[in-house]
Amino acid sequence: MSSSDEPDAVRPGWENFAERPVPEVHGATTAPEAELAGVLQRRHEELAAARGASASAATRVHATLFELAMLIGTLEQQVNRAGEPREAVDAELRHRELKNVKDRMLDVLRGAGVEVRDPKGLTADEVLDWADPVHWLQSPEFDAEVVAETNEYAVFHDGAVVRFAQVVMGAPAPALAPAPKPEPEAPPEPDPQVKREPGAEMPPGQTPAPTDT
């Protein structure tokens, strides 16, 4: 007998199943409002951290600028002293004082991650990404394309260029083409009206004109 012939009494119904509570899983039933609040909270924390980092960076920049301002004042003093009579200040001492101020200023910049580079003497390939040529010089003294003069130094911050150098590039002089050789002049054509004396020499390639008999 097939299953379709079985009586309804032996088939399972809803009364044969018992209801059991659904186990609670932590975080599985988070309400949308609670999830949105969590996202906003994390975003607020990220913005606060970014603002704190920006404030710290601005403080470091201000400290660097203030120290540079002090050194510029010192440099102004040294420059003014350079204008005094030579017998009043020894030239070697003047140079040493100016160099000392310059080195201190560069140290302050390096401490802030700023580096100043002079590209003079480097090849074109070496300065391709951080120098702008403003002029070219062609001269036999150059064997390749190199930086001949630096108008403005390049500035780097944390290893990345933030201000390109302005340079004058040198290049070999172009080779001069040899001068063309002058073509030989053709001999003048003889005048047919002029009678040639018998036995006179004829120019090469010339034949005597026929005479009337």
Side-chain angles (χ1 to χ4, degrees), residues 49-114:
R51 283 193 292 266
S54 298
S56 299
T59 300
R60 291 193 299 271
V61 170
H62 290 160
T64 301
L65 291 176
F66 297 153
E67 191 165 358
L68 283 176
M70 179 272 298
L71 290 173
I72 291 174
T74 304
L75 180 62
E76 183 180 16
Q77 290 179 342
Q78 303 301 333
V79 171
N80 292 336
R81 291 188 63 188
E84 297 178 3
R86 296 184 61 86
E87 59 273 9
V89 180
D90 181 69
E92 183 178 353
L93 176 61
R94 182 187 298 115
H95 176 268
R96 188 163 58 247
E97 290 175 342
L98 291 173
K99 184 178 183 301
N100 179 58
V101 176
K102 182 265 298 181
D103 291 341
R104 290 173 62 188
M105 295 177 73
L106 291 179
D107 288 340
V108 171
L109 291 175
R110 278 191 289 266
V114 179

Side-chain angles (χ1 to χ4, degrees), residues 190-192 194-212:
D191 189 351
V194 178
K195 292 184 178 182
R196 189 174 301 275
E197 296 293 333
E201 294 183 359
M202 297 291 295
Q206 295 286 334
T207 57
T211 58
D212 296 336

